[in-house]
Amino acid sequence: MAITLGPNQYGKAEVRLVTVRREGAVHHLKDLTVSTSLRGDLAATHLTGDNADVVATDTQKNTVYAFAKESPVGEIEDFALRLGRHFVDAFEHISGARVLIDEHGWNRISGHEHAFSLAGSEKRTTAVTIQDGQAWVVSGLDDLVVLKSTGSEFHGFPRDEYTTLAETNDRILATAVTARWRYQGDGIDWAASHAEVRRILLETFADKHSLSLQQTLYAMGEAVLEEREEVAEVRLSLPNKHHFLVDLSPFGLKNDNEVFHAADRPYGLIEGVVLRDDAEDPGLAWHTLASF
Ligand SMILES: O=c1[nH]c(=O)c2[nH]c(=O)[nH]c2[nH]1
């Protein structure tokens, strides 16, 4: 019996690339998940561990980021073709490449120059509790993903021997809003109220110059309470979806806040309740049997 190596390919899966292209004050966003796979004469590494012909998956990832800087990403088909052809042309033992790209679509928030919401992931929710002739209604939304490509800073935090985070005056701020708001009063037009709360959350995220996601959270809740008297209380859970500037200096490229790695974990998780001091008693509005 002889054992042989069958078909194989290898690459970097799911490189999360976000680019910001600026046209004056107007920003254009590209959000891609890029996977590269290379094929060719790769017997040696499988059989003996000789890596002379292995284009490291780390190099493949770096190439994705560097190419995104060197010329506009453009259509995903063109970007995939550029990447795939590069690997095959540049490395003698690489004979084939497969490049998969998913593009995540963002909509501009109400004509805003640099704030966007992600198409498609959001849910509207409600939780109604009935007890002893009373009813409590808590409505909300899940996974309203928003991003602003400027208008966000984070600095002034304490530094100890474990602190490495750089201070910044201009960063991407992105989050997936989970919001719950408790209603009070009667005769509420649920659909209209939901639409308005959602609009206020979006516009406040976009308009509020942010010194921390905590400040943005409070501003979002405060704006809802200021404009919507039927809302007694707003609870927000805001994951800080970090976008890290990619260091392109090893490739002789300057990253002028244009090319980012969109990390999925770990993430900061900023949570808070904003309420009026004269709100109706919450009663059983938030009632659950288990707290896990
Ligand atoms: O808005 C932020 N709040 C934080 O508490 C925090 N912590 C951190 O590392 N980055 C950020 N950003």
Side-chain angles (χ1 to χ4, degrees):
M1 184 195 68
I3 297 171
T4 59
L5 174 68
N8 60 86
Q9 60 181 1
Y10 78 104
K12 196 64 111 188
E14 301 191 31
V15 175
R16 293 284 296 112
L17 165 70
V18 171
T19 65
V20 178
R21 189 168 59 78
R22 292 173 178 75
E23 232 173 19
V26 177
H27 291 191
H28 302 273
L29 204 66
K30 276 272 180 198
D31 181 349
L32 308 181
T33 300
V34 182
S35 300
T36 57
S37 284
L38 306 184
R39 293 186 301 270
D41 181 3
L42 294 158
T45 186
H46 289 91
L47 302 183
T48 70
D50 174 352
N51 295 325
D53 300 322
V54 177
V55 181
T57 66
D58 192 64
T59 304
Q60 296 178 40
K61 174 200 71 185
N62 288 343
T63 308
V64 170
Y65 286 127
F67 273 34
K69 164 66 193 184
E70 281 178 330
S71 50
V73 168
E75 299 304 321
I76 54 175
E77 290 82 358
D78 288 326
F79 192 53
L81 285 165
R82 256 198 341 269
L83 283 164
R85 286 186 177 131
H86 162 76
F87 292 120
V88 173
D89 292 347
F91 298 97
E92 196 187 329
H93 290 85
I94 299 302
S95 56
R98 185 161 171 80
V99 181
L100 307 178
I101 303 184
D102 293 339
E103 179 164 8
H104 312 286
W106 291 84
N107 301 320
R108 231 168 248 292
I109 296 177
S110 59
H112 210 277
E113 287 171 336
H114 58 254
F116 307 84
S117 68
L118 188 65
S121 56
E122 184 185 346
K123 273 190 311 211
R124 177 177 161 181
T125 72
T126 195
V128 169
T129 309
I130 311 276
Q131 183 74 44
D132 301 330
Q134 280 199 75
W136 294 271
V137 180
V138 173
S139 291
L141 51 83
D142 280 349
D143 221 14
L144 170 57
V145 182
V146 290
L147 180 154
K148 58 199 290 182
S149 48
T150 190
S152 167
E153 314 184 27
F154 188 65
H155 45 75
F157 47 87
R159 306 199 75 88
D160 67 7
E161 66 268 45
Y162 306 116
T163 306
T164 57
L165 184 69
E167 306 218 333
T168 175
N169 295 304
D170 192 6
R171 66 173 181 175
I172 285 183
L173 183 66
T175 186
V177 179
T178 296
R180 294 289 181 272
W181 52 91
R182 173 164 68 87
Y183 282 114
Q184 61 182 10
D186 301 309
I188 296 163
D189 178 339
W190 306 115
S193 181
H194 191 282
E196 279 300 290
V197 172
R198 181 181 185 280
R199 177 189 64 75
I200 295 162
L201 292 172
L202 278 176
E203 287 183 5
T204 309
F205 174 83
D207 290 340
K208 176 78 184 174
H209 186 94
S210 176
L211 298 177
S212 65
L213 187 50
Q214 289 90 331
Q215 184 197 25
T216 296
L217 179 151
Y218 183 77
M220 290 166 75
E222 180 186 38
V224 170
L225 295 176
E226 278 172 357
E227 291 193 45
R228 306 304 306 180
E229 62 179 14
E230 73 277 22
V231 176
E233 173 183 343
V234 182
R235 298 188 171 196
L236 291 164
S237 175
L238 303 180
N240 193 352
K241 296 169 80 72
H242 302 299
H243 287 66
F244 296 114
L245 260 190
V246 179
D247 180 9
L248 299 174
S249 62
F251 326 124
L253 298 169
K254 186 162 176 278
N255 192 352
D256 211 4
N257 258 356
E258 292 162 286
V259 179
F260 298 87
H261 162 61
D264 70 340
R265 65 192 71 171
Y267 50 87
L269 184 59
I270 311 300
E271 301 174 290
V273 182
V274 188
L275 66 172
R276 350 176 152 266
D277 61 3
D278 60 351
E280 274 179 14
D281 188 277
L284 296 179
W286 302 103
H287 180 75
T288 53
L289 280 182
S291 58
F292 51 83

